[in-house]
Structure formats: structure tokens, C-alpha cells
Amino acid sequence: MSTTKRSGIRARSRRAVSPSACKLDLASLSHMLDERIGLATEAEIESCFRDCDAGALPPLGEPYGMKVCYDDAVATQPEIYFEAGDHKTLVHMSGANFARLMGNASHGSIARHM
């Protein structure tokens, strides 16, 4: 599962979650959220996720004070796996459980197959 975040540090940041075989569609995401969206820099990501290894960010925002939005395709998968902040620990759950974990997070068609 690939993840991306945007727009400054923490309070203005969002985590966008999409299947790993997809590329985030920034135009669709911006339209869905009705705000201008762009990708964060590596430095912004590192400053927000100090307890995570580079490239192993979990698809969670709440512990980091950010909102999450996700592509609907993630929640429709029978099973999903994601890294838990390092390259050694993998979390496994159903797509339905992931959707429950996300609660009221924004979601929609925000990614395209590569």
C-alpha cells in the first residue's frame, strides 16, 4: 500500500492512502477535498514521522495529528497488508476492518492504476 501526505506540517497535513499498484491522482484528491493538494517533501515527512523508517509509513493519521483520506479500492480488498513504521513489521487486516479503522475519514476514487 502506498501512502502520501501533503500540505505543510501536521495540522495542515493529510495522509492519502492508495493501493500499492496505483498512483495517487492529485487532481481527483483536490476535487474531492475541495482544496489545493500537493506532495510533501522528504524533510516534511521525516519531521512528522520521526518514529518511522523512511518508506515504511503506516496509513494512519490520528497518532500524528493529521486527517486521512483513502482510495475506495483499499477498503474493498478482502485482505490488506501495510508496514507498521519499520521494514520488519507487517500489519494484516481485512479491507472492511481497515474501513472501520478509518472511521469518518474522507474516501473516494483518488488513485489510478499504473
Side-chain angles (χ1 to χ4, degrees):
M1 172 178 313
S2 79
T3 58
T4 306
K5 143 184 125 47
R6 163 55 186 145
S7 177
I9 306 300
R10 297 197 192 260
R12 294 183 352 231
S13 297
R14 290 186 182 263
R15 297 276 291 128
V17 181
S18 65
S20 59
C22 295
K23 180 177 180 179
L24 191 61
D25 181 339
L26 292 178
S28 294
L29 181 58
S30 293
H31 184 264
M32 180 182 85
L33 298 173
D34 195 28
E35 60 187 72
R36 190 170 176 219
I37 299 292
L39 298 179
T41 65
E42 289 294 321
E44 288 175 317
I45 293 169
E46 287 176 16
S47 73
C48 289
F49 297 92
R50 295 179 192 273
D51 63 335
C52 296
D53 292 347
L57 307 179
L60 308 173
E62 191 170 309
Y64 301 97
M66 10 179 125
K67 294 180 179 179
V68 175
C69 48
Y70 63 93
D71 189 85
D72 287 333
V74 176
T76 62
Q77 298 301 309
E79 298 179 288
I80 63 169
Y81 297 84
F82 57 87
E83 290 177 301
D86 61 40
H87 295 288
K88 298 175 185 173
T89 310
L90 199 61
V91 176
H92 169 241
M93 67 176 55
S94 70
N97 282 339
F98 177 80
R100 280 193 287 281
L101 179 66
M102 293 295 103
N104 293 325
S106 300
H107 59 93
S109 180
I110 60 170
R112 304 288 173 252
H113 283 280
M114 293 189 278

